[in-house]
Amino acid sequence: MKKLVITTLILLIAAAYITVVYFKNLNTPGSHTSQLMATIPDDAALIFEFNNEQSFYDIFNQNKLLESVIGQEKINNIDTLRVELLNNRLLQQFFDGQNVFISLHPLKNQDADLLLTMAAGKGFDTVMMNQLAKKQHNGLIITSTRIGGKPGYNIYINAIKKRFYVVNEEDDIFSGSFSEELAEQAASYKPKSDRKDFVLLSERQNNNSLADLYVNYSQIQPLFDQLFKNKNTDVLRSFKLLPAMSVLSLNYKSDAFMFNGITTIETDEPLSYLNLFAGQQPVVNHLKDIFPSTTAYSTNFSVSDPLKFEKDLALWHIKAGIKKEKDSIFNKLTAESGVNLRIEFTNLLSNEFAIVTTRYQEKYAIISLKDGSKLRPFMVNISHMVSGNSGQFNYNKLPFFLLGDAFSIFRRPYFMIVDNYLILANTAEELTSYYDSYINRKFISKTDNYNQFNDLLSERSNIAFFINFKNALPVLKKDLNNGFYDSLEKSEPGWKNFYGASYQFSAADKNFYTNFCMKLNNIDTAVVK
C-alpha cells in the first residue's frame, strides 16, 4: 500500500510538471505578441509590426512609401542592419519569419527615435552572438556589454559607420536602437501594473495582414511636445485627448498607405470630446466639398442625430464642471437679446461641422444648417454687425458651448451665413477671404489631386482629419521645431512626396472603425523619361 501511494504521488508530480511545461510553451493566439509588446516602453505613440520575410521587403523595394515616411537614412540603416546582422548565416534561421516591431518614442532635447523589438526563434542561444563577435571581416564589430543593467551588445556596423545598441530582454526577446538613450530606456523599462495593453488581432487576422499599425492616442501629446515648438498646436488636437488605442491592418497599394481596423475606447478613463461621437451613426461627408483650395488641414465632425449630440454635450459640460459658467452666459444672452440661442441653434443644426486651417493660418468653423435664413435673425440679435452680411458675437465662448471643445479657438468670432452654412472666423478679413472662395467656387474639391485622394477614403464617418502636406508646410514651418521642419522640407524622398493624409473614425459598437490613408503625389508623366 505504501509503495502504491509513493508511486501515485510520483505520477501526480510528473503529470503536474508536464502540464506546466506544456502550457508554458503553448502559444495561444496573440500570447507571444502580447509578451513581446509588453517589453516596449509605453511612451510609444506608434508601433509598426511586420514579418521579417523577404517578400515584405520585395514589395516595398518597388516604391518609395516606407522610405518617404521614415526617411532615406533611417530606412537605409535598418536595411543594412537586416542584411549584415539578421541575414548573417549564424543568425538567419532564428530571425527569418519572426515579427518585427518598430516603435516611435520621444527622447530628451526635442528628439525622437525608433526602437526595434524582435524575438529569436526556437533553438537560439546567445552563444551564437559570441561566435559571431569572434568572426573577422564580417562587417560588424560586436562587443558584449550591459545596457540599463541588462546584458546587451554594442554593434558597430562598418557599412554605415554607426553603432546599434541591443538589449537582451529575456526569453530571447531583443530590443535595439541606433539611439543609446532609447536602448537604455528600453532596458530599464518596467511595465506598470495599470499599463494599458492593445487589443490584439486574432492569430488569423495577424497572419493575413501584410503589416499592422498600433496607435496609443494618450502618447501623441508627449511625442508632439518633442516635435513642435508651438505647444498649443491644433494639429490632431481632439485625437490627442482621446483615451483609446487602435490596431490597424495594412492594405497594400503601390502609391498609398491604407490602414483600417478598430479604435477601442478605454471606458475607465475620463471622457474626451471625441467620445461624444461614439454613440452616433456614420454620416456621408459633404461639408469637405466647400473647404477652400488653400486648406492645410481640417477636422470634420458628423452626427446622425444633432439633438442627441447636443444632449450628450450638455452632460459632458456638467461632468467637466462648467455648467454654471455656461448657464450664466446663455442666461445673460437671453436677457439682453431675447434669444434662446441654445434651443434655436440646436433645432437648426444639421449633420456636419468642421474646423479648417489654411496655408495662410486662417481658421474657419464651417457649420451645416437646416435653414440658414431662419438662423440669421438670431445671429444678428446677439452680434455687432460690421456689414450687411457679417458681424461679431457680443458674447464669449459661444462656439465652445454650442459645439464643443474643438471650437474653443473661436472665443468671440465674426460670423456670416451663406446659403445653409454658418461660417465663423477670428477676423473680419478671414471671413472676406472665405466668402471669395465660396462665391468663386475656389474649393480644394475642385482639384484633380484631391479627388483622386478622396476616392480612397470612406464615404461615411463621424470624425475625419485631413492634411494637405504642400499647403501645410507654411503652418508647420511656424509650429515645428527647426530640426524636424528642415527634415520635412529637405528630405528626398520624404513627407513632401505625399499629397495628403486622412484619419477617419466611424462609430461602431461604442468604439470607432478607423481608416487611415496617406497617398503619394501623382507622378508627372510629362517629366518622366
Side-chain angles (χ1 to χ4, degrees):
M1 184 65 180
K2 187 175 181 180
K3 288 183 178 180
L4 181 60
V5 171
I6 293 172
T7 302
T8 303
L9 286 173
I10 291 172
L11 288 173
L12 286 172
I13 293 170
Y17 174 77
I18 291 169
T19 302
V20 169
V21 171
Y22 174 76
F23 281 104
K24 183 178 179 181
N25 290 283
L26 182 64
N27 284 325
T28 58
S31 64
H32 194 59
T33 298
S34 180
Q35 179 188 14
L36 194 149
M37 291 184 72
T39 68
I40 300 174
D42 58 8
D43 63 351
L46 303 171
I47 303 174
F48 183 67
E49 176 192 9
F50 63 94
N51 193 270
N52 181 42
E53 56 183 21
Q54 188 59 45
S55 60
F56 177 84
Y57 302 103
D58 290 342
I59 289 172
F60 286 99
N61 279 339
Q62 305 304 315
N63 59 54
K64 298 292 185 180
L65 280 171
L66 278 176
E67 199 172 348
S68 297
V69 170
I70 299 176
Q72 187 174 47
E73 181 181 356
K74 276 188 166 54
I75 208 75
N76 287 344
N77 290 345
I78 293 172
D79 191 57
T80 302
L81 177 71
R82 176 181 69 89
V83 172
E84 299 286 348
L85 185 64
L86 299 183
N87 285 358
N88 186 282
R89 65 181 185 84
L90 283 174
L91 305 180
Q92 187 171 11
Q93 62 176 310
F94 303 106
F95 291 97
D96 269 2
Q98 298 295 312
N99 283 3
V100 182
F101 295 79
I102 300 180
S103 48
L104 179 61
H105 300 262
L107 299 177
K108 299 175 183 176
N109 301 320
Q110 299 179 352
D111 202 2
D113 217 324
L114 302 175
L115 180 73
L116 280 68
T117 306
M118 194 175 185
K122 291 182 179 179
F124 178 80
D125 195 308
T126 53
V127 171
M128 297 168 186
M129 287 292 292
N130 298 330
Q131 292 175 357
L132 183 59
K134 294 176 182 178
K135 286 189 172 293
Q136 301 293 318
H137 310 298
N138 65 356
L140 303 171
I141 301 174
I142 302 176
T143 306
S144 296
T145 185
R146 295 192 71 80
I147 302 175
K150 290 184 178 179
Y153 304 92
N154 182 327
I155 303 175
Y156 183 78
I157 306 172
N158 285 322
I160 55 176
K161 303 293 188 291
K162 287 182 177 293
R163 296 186 183 277
F164 187 74
Y165 304 91
V166 177
V167 180
N168 187 343
E169 301 281 5
E170 299 180 350
D171 296 324
D172 293 332
I173 295 174
F174 296 89
S175 297
S177 178
F178 288 99
S179 163
E180 185 175 11
E181 177 189 342
L182 184 51
E184 290 177 350
Q185 179 182 325
S188 59
Y189 172 68
K190 294 181 180 178
K192 299 176 182 177
S193 59
D194 60 347
R195 171 182 167 126
K196 305 292 185 181
D197 292 323
F198 289 97
V199 176
L200 302 179
L201 294 173
S202 69
E203 186 175 36
R204 180 179 178 182
Q205 287 175 302
N206 190 263
N207 289 339
N208 291 335
S209 175
L210 178 62
D212 300 317
L213 180 66
Y214 301 85
V215 184
N216 185 347
Y217 296 91
S218 67
Q219 296 303 321
I220 294 177
Q221 185 60 58
L223 178 64
F224 273 33
D225 287 343
Q226 300 301 316
L227 302 181
F228 286 84
K229 58 188 175 186
N230 176 10
K231 303 306 179 186
N232 294 316
T233 177
D234 59 349
V235 176
L236 292 173
R237 178 186 175 190
S238 296
F239 292 86
K240 291 181 288 185
L241 301 173
L242 179 67
M245 292 183 174
S246 294
V247 54
L248 313 174
S249 296
L250 174 64
N251 298 308
Y252 178 71
K253 197 174 186 302
S254 62
D255 63 345
F257 278 118
M258 297 184 67
F259 288 88
N260 59 69
I262 294 294
T263 294
T264 304
I265 295 173
E266 297 171 13
T267 55
D268 58 342
E269 295 290 337
L271 294 178
S272 79
Y273 177 61
L274 297 192
N275 287 80
L276 302 180
F277 298 86
Q280 298 283 332
Q281 296 297 315
V283 172
V284 175
N285 298 163
H286 294 296
L287 206 55
K288 59 188 177 182
D289 294 339
I290 62 166
F291 290 175
S293 60
T294 54
T295 297
Y297 53 88
S298 63
T299 306
N300 192 68
F301 303 95
S302 306
V303 293
S304 56
D305 187 344
L307 291 176
K308 181 182 185 307
F309 170 76
E310 290 294 345
K311 289 178 182 178
D312 291 343
L313 180 62
L315 289 174
W316 187 53
H317 287 155
I318 292 171
K319 291 178 180 179
I322 57 176
K323 182 180 183 297
K324 184 177 179 180
E325 179 189 5
K326 177 180 178 180
D327 288 344
S328 175
I329 290 174
F330 282 102
N331 288 340
K332 180 182 179 182
L333 182 152
T334 301
E336 294 178 352
S337 67
V339 175
N340 192 329
L341 187 62
R342 279 186 284 193
I343 291 177
E344 304 299 346
F345 183 83
T346 298
N347 289 337
L348 291 169
L349 177 65
S350 190
N351 300 104
E352 293 183 86
F353 36 97
I355 294 178
V356 177
T357 299
T358 73
R359 64 180 288 111
Y360 304 111
Q361 283 104 55
E362 301 161 318
K363 291 189 182 295
Y364 302 114
I366 304 177
I367 302 151
S368 181
L369 304 172
K370 294 174 182 175
D371 189 334
S373 64
K374 290 183 179 179
L375 184 66
R376 190 179 186 282
F378 303 122
M379 292 290 101
V380 171
N381 283 348
I382 66 163
S383 303
H384 167 69
M385 300 302 291
V386 296
S387 73
N389 192 41
S390 64
Q392 184 180 21
F393 287 175
N394 293 329
Y395 305 91
N396 289 332
K397 301 176 69 171
L398 294 183
F400 168 74
F401 287 122
L402 292 171
L403 293 170
D405 179 68
F407 294 81
S408 63
I409 59 174
F410 303 102
R411 190 166 181 85
R412 196 160 72 88
Y414 291 80
F415 86 93
M416 68 177 176
I417 293 176
V418 288
D419 296 329
N420 289 325
Y421 303 107
L422 171 64
I423 313 300
L424 305 179
N426 285 318
T427 67
E429 291 75 18
E430 287 173 294
L431 279 186
T432 301
S433 176
Y434 180 79
Y435 186 73
D436 176 70
S437 294
Y438 187 86
I439 292 300
N440 293 295
R441 319 310 281 173
K442 293 189 290 188
F443 301 137
I444 197 168
S445 61
K446 298 296 184 182
T447 63
D448 290 339
N449 284 340
Y450 175 82
N451 287 316
Q452 290 177 33
F453 174 79
N454 189 57
D455 286 343
L456 301 178
L457 308 184
S458 174
E459 182 183 37
R460 297 172 181 268
S461 71
N462 294 104
I463 305 150
F465 174 81
F466 164 71
I467 183 169
N468 176 296
F469 289 109
K470 182 177 180 181
N471 284 345
L473 280 177
V475 184
L476 295 176
K477 184 176 183 179
K478 179 175 68 74
D479 289 352
L480 278 174
N481 285 320
N482 294 339
F484 286 108
Y485 178 77
D486 289 344
S487 177
L488 179 72
E489 183 184 38
K490 298 175 182 177
S491 293
E492 182 58 50
W495 284 52
K496 66 181 180 182
N497 293 88
F498 286 93
Y499 169 77
S502 173
Y503 207 84
Q504 295 175 287
F505 279 170
S506 300
D509 297 326
K510 303 301 181 182
N511 292 302
F512 291 113
Y513 187 78
T514 305
N515 290 288
F516 170 52
C517 176
M518 189 168 173
K519 184 183 181 299
L520 289 170
N521 283 311
N522 295 329
I523 297 174
D524 187 352
T525 55
V527 298
V528 177
K529 297 181 180 180

